[in-house]
Amino acid sequence: MVLIILSISLGSVNISIAEIAKILLGSPTENTANYNILFSYRLPKTLTSVFAGAALGFAGLQMQTLFRNPLAGPFVLGISSGASLGVALLVLLGVGINGALAYWGMAIASIVGSLTVLLMVVLVSVRLKDSMSLLLVGLMFGAFTSAIVGVMQYFSTAEDIQNFLFWTFGATGNLSWTELQIFIPIIIIGISLGYWQAKPLNALLMGDYYAQSMGLRIKNVRLFLVISTSILAGIVTAFCGPIAFLGIAVPHISRILFKTSNHFVLIPATLLLGACLLLVCDIIAQVPYSDLILPINAVTSLFGAPVVIWLILRRKNISKTFG
Amino acid sequence: MDNFSHIMTTTDLSVGYKNGKSVNTLMESLTLRIPKGKFIALLGANGVGKSTLIRTLANLHPILKGEICLKGKNIKEYASKEFAQQLSLVLTDPVQSGNLTVYELVEMGRFPFTNWTGKLMPLDQEKIENAIQLCEISYLKEQKITEISDGQLQKAMIARALAQDGELMLLDEPTVHLDANNRYTILKLLRNLVDETQKSILISTHQVEIALKMADEIWLANCGENMKCGTPNELIKNGDIERAFPYLKKLDL
């Protein structure tokens, strides 16, 4: 909550907290400029961060439990790269990102992209029992899709490439209310789909054989988790660009903070922590009291990676707390 | 067939691995019976297919040929949840979730009985408590599973299977990695469970001496031979045990 207020109140134009309270409570204000900044820029931005952060954290948690691998996450398994490929196909092949239809187009393109990669990863994971090889395969998929994007960039116009590059920097501030109307419901669908699998996720902690022996239909669960993750990772990547690091880090931080592997606790925890973390990164990215805005992707990695390293060092062995 | 005295029966069962066109049959023409309320020990050398047989019986591994019936019904016709309510398992695969407590682990056994929120009803809690008591691990309840010894963990795994409350428990090498005292304790615990709960238990083990003392029935698997089933005394008398485990004679304890 505090972070939400901070995020709304900090920006290149200084608006006092009292003023914000007044505007939010609906009392008439003499300063329409402030009103506009608040409603058409800061509020959507804050909401975007909250939902995107929650979505990424949860997507990471699902991947880590499904693959029983502490390194799994939307990024490492190439899911975000898949989403990038979807968007790249759309942007670089000249369809462009204009008009209301394009938002849907981008959302669908990136979800299809991430779903394709994730399904391939799952197909491979059925053949490979060993999670290390799976990780390598995910990385290869990521490299493969990035290469395709690279080739496409080579043959694209400078303007398209610029559009695409800006997209890869990641941003939470580009969403209008109309886009949020797509963004938020889809994330809520993805989260509910995943939350519905909380009990199977707990069973998966024991390993596939045990989960099955407890009456879990493992193929269905895998499918649901894959769909939920690709919706979440896909939509966020579509609208905010590929945001690194959150997906891996948030589940670990939740496990360490809450000292549990029960998904009925971990899911709300990752949602909340993910939202908070992205808000913090977002606030840092705006560089309070200045006109600068840093790319959010750089900030999440810049400030996030040391945090994770510190946590791991303190814990000595993360695979023991994992799961 | 009398479904009441036999929990599980197999007819002309072959187990093994199929990889594309090549088929590697480990055991064939198995016609086995697991009677109600009996403790059965499956003995045999490494690689003879004990684990594969147990996984096949538990419907985790595809059947090569023949069929398996649980309480008179083909296991393929069971819904997965219904099957899990009849049969529970302890395998050799390690569980690597450091944040789980022993209680949470045992709680997992109630998985097939709870709704999607996993909420435990009074009956579930009673079964969990009961399983914990029977396995004598009450003092460990709040410990994380990485903080306890292998022997204690094995007891917790057995408690989990017990909480699942099937009439049949299959255990794949429950004594592996344990020291001599713990091996005895675990097998003794299983023996008591059979007597107290009238469940049927099938274990695979290399603890020939203890198994011969405690089991009601021995299944003796040998490479390239048919499975020999019988009471420990029968198999000792007709020399099967001595032929399969010549070391017993050499040690001459």
Side-chain angles (χ1 to χ4, degrees):
Chain A
M1 266 318 279
V2 175
L3 288 168
I4 290 178
I5 295 167
L6 259 179
S7 159
I8 297 175
S9 57
L10 293 173
S12 53
V13 178
N14 201 2
I15 309 176
S16 75
I17 291 182
E19 179 93 23
I20 290 165
K22 244 202 263 168
I23 296 171
L24 284 181
L25 292 173
S27 49
T29 167
E30 52 294 354
N31 193 339
T32 46
N34 279 356
Y35 180 89
N36 280 337
I37 290 175
L38 204 64
F39 266 91
S40 49
Y41 184 67
R42 289 198 192 157
L43 210 52
K45 186 176 164 69
T46 306
L47 280 175
T48 309
S49 304
V50 167
F51 279 93
L56 286 176
F58 188 25
L61 177 67
Q62 292 185 47
M63 287 296 92
Q64 292 180 3
T65 303
L66 177 60
F67 293 119
R68 269 188 304 289
N69 191 318
L71 287 177
F75 247 86
V76 182
L77 291 174
I79 299 159
S80 297
S81 314
S84 300
L85 181 62
V87 172
L89 279 172
L90 203 70
V91 177
L92 298 179
L93 294 184
V95 184
I97 26 173
N98 306 308
L101 257 181
Y103 300 133
W104 280 103
M106 272 183 57
I108 291 166
S110 69
I111 290 177
V112 169
S114 56
L115 195 65
T116 314
V117 172
L118 197 51
L119 275 178
M120 285 200 273
V121 172
V122 167
L123 275 181
V124 173
S125 79
V126 175
R127 303 185 120 243
L128 298 170
K129 287 273 153 178
D130 153 35
S131 52
M132 273 329 244
S133 358
L134 182 68
L135 217 62
L136 282 175
V137 170
L139 283 171
M140 290 305 114
F141 275 132
F144 187 72
T145 44
S146 313
I148 296 180
V149 173
V151 171
M152 286 197 307
Q153 278 180 337
Y154 188 74
F155 291 109
S156 301
T157 65
E159 198 185 338
D160 282 346
I161 292 175
Q162 199 184 22
N163 272 338
F164 183 72
L165 265 184
F166 272 119
W167 177 81
T168 61
F169 285 149
T172 52
N174 297 337
L175 273 72
S176 68
W177 284 107
T178 26
E179 288 166 273
L180 278 177
Q181 277 170 11
I182 304 170
F183 187 69
I184 294 177
I186 292 185
I187 287 188
I188 290 175
I189 291 172
I191 290 176
S192 351
L193 198 61
Y195 189 73
W196 185 44
Q197 300 298 319
K199 187 182 152 188
L201 276 169
N202 277 343
L204 277 175
L205 289 176
M206 303 264 306
D208 289 359
Y209 274 145
Y210 278 116
Q212 258 174 294
S213 85
M214 292 190 282
L216 189 85
R217 281 183 299 266
I218 205 146
K219 280 185 183 148
N220 295 6
V221 172
R222 250 188 213 142
L223 193 69
F224 276 123
L225 292 177
V226 165
I227 294 174
S228 163
T229 310
S230 21
I231 291 178
L232 291 173
I235 189 82
V236 173
T237 314
F239 284 112
C240 307
I243 297 178
F245 147 81
L246 270 183
I248 295 184
V250 169
H252 287 300
I253 301 175
S254 319
R255 281 193 203 98
I256 290 170
L257 283 181
F258 289 86
K259 295 194 176 57
T260 180
S261 356
N262 183 351
H263 285 81
F264 285 103
V265 180
L266 277 183
I267 292 174
T270 46
L271 291 177
L272 198 69
L273 265 172
C276 291
L277 260 177
L278 193 56
L279 268 181
V280 171
C281 291
D282 196 44
I283 293 168
I284 297 171
Q286 297 176 39
V287 193
Y289 304 110
S290 78
D291 289 336
L292 268 171
I293 293 183
L294 299 172
I296 185 91
N297 203 358
V299 177
T300 49
S301 307
L302 217 56
F303 291 86
V307 171
V308 174
I309 293 173
W310 176 71
L311 278 173
I312 294 173
L313 284 179
R314 237 188 48 164
R315 266 317 177 99
K316 300 285 194 293
N317 183 354
I318 204 150
S319 60
K320 277 206 167 171
T321 59
F322 159 72
Chain B
M1 309 261 306
D2 55 342
N3 305 327
F4 298 100
S5 56
H6 292 127
I7 296 284
M8 185 174 257
T9 58
T10 71
T11 6
D12 192 26
L13 177 73
S14 295
V15 302
Y17 292 87
K18 211 192 293 192
N19 196 351
K21 276 186 183 156
S22 69
V23 179
N24 179 14
T25 308
L26 292 171
M27 297 181 180
E28 55 188 349
S29 22
L30 296 169
T31 301
L32 304 164
R33 313 229 163 291
I34 302 181
K36 195 171 162 56
K38 294 283 184 214
F39 186 21
I40 302 172
L42 168 60
L43 302 177
N46 287 330
V48 78
K50 297 191 298 297
S51 300
T52 316
L53 174 62
I54 284 190
R55 282 205 285 269
T56 311
L57 292 179
N59 206 6
L60 293 176
H61 191 85
I63 297 173
L64 286 187
K65 206 179 115 206
E67 58 181 44
I68 304 170
C69 289
L70 178 66
K71 288 184 147 181
K73 186 171 159 187
N74 194 319
I75 58 167
K76 285 179 180 159
E77 289 164 18
Y78 274 90
S80 51
K81 212 172 177 180
E82 192 191 354
F83 188 74
Q85 293 178 349
Q86 301 292 342
L87 182 147
S88 55
L89 263 184
V90 177
L91 298 170
T92 42
D93 305 284
V95 174
Q96 298 167 319
S97 297
N99 269 333
L100 276 180
T101 64
V102 169
Y103 190 86
E104 284 173 319
L105 182 78
V106 179
E107 206 183 285
M108 295 265 195
R110 298 310 291 171
F111 187 90
F113 299 89
T114 54
N115 65 0
W116 74 273
T117 60
K119 191 171 167 4
L120 298 171
M121 296 301 165
L123 177 70
D124 299 316
Q125 270 155 355
E126 193 189 309
K127 298 269 185 199
I128 295 169
E129 279 303 327
N130 200 8
I132 288 179
Q133 297 256 310
L134 279 170
C135 297
E136 297 159 353
I137 48 170
S138 308
Y139 66 104
L140 293 172
K141 261 196 270 185
E142 299 309 321
Q143 300 249 33
K144 304 266 183 207
I145 59 170
T146 39
E147 295 164 358
I148 60 179
S149 75
D150 286 345
Q152 292 167 330
L153 180 61
Q154 197 55 264
K155 281 187 188 173
M157 293 304 292
I158 293 171
R160 187 205 63 84
L162 206 57
Q164 203 170 327
D165 206 28
E167 288 191 43
L168 176 60
M169 269 169 76
L170 306 179
L171 297 92
D172 189 14
E173 298 201 26
T175 55
V176 77
H177 300 314
L178 300 182
D179 61 47
N181 275 324
N182 268 315
R183 289 198 292 256
Y184 175 82
T185 323
I186 293 287
L187 292 179
K188 183 75 189 154
L189 169 70
L190 293 172
R191 173 74 252 177
N192 291 345
L193 288 179
V194 170
D195 295 337
E196 280 171 40
T197 60
Q198 287 302 305
K199 292 182 193 302
S200 307
I201 293 183
L202 168 67
I203 66 167
S204 69
T205 183
H206 293 293
Q207 300 308 302
V208 184
E209 306 90 326
I210 313 179
L212 287 173
K213 284 243 155 55
M214 289 190 186
D216 296 309
E217 210 178 287
I218 301 281
W219 294 357
L220 188 59
N222 247 333
C223 257
E225 281 180 45
N226 284 338
M227 181 94 86
K228 299 193 176 64
C229 306
T231 63
N233 274 334
E234 285 167 11
L235 293 182
I236 292 173
K237 270 198 189 129
N238 66 19
D240 283 330
I241 295 287
E242 203 184 311
R243 240 173 298 134
F245 303 103
Y247 82 95
L248 287 175
K249 188 86 178 182
K250 287 177 187 153
L251 279 175
D252 199 26
L253 294 171

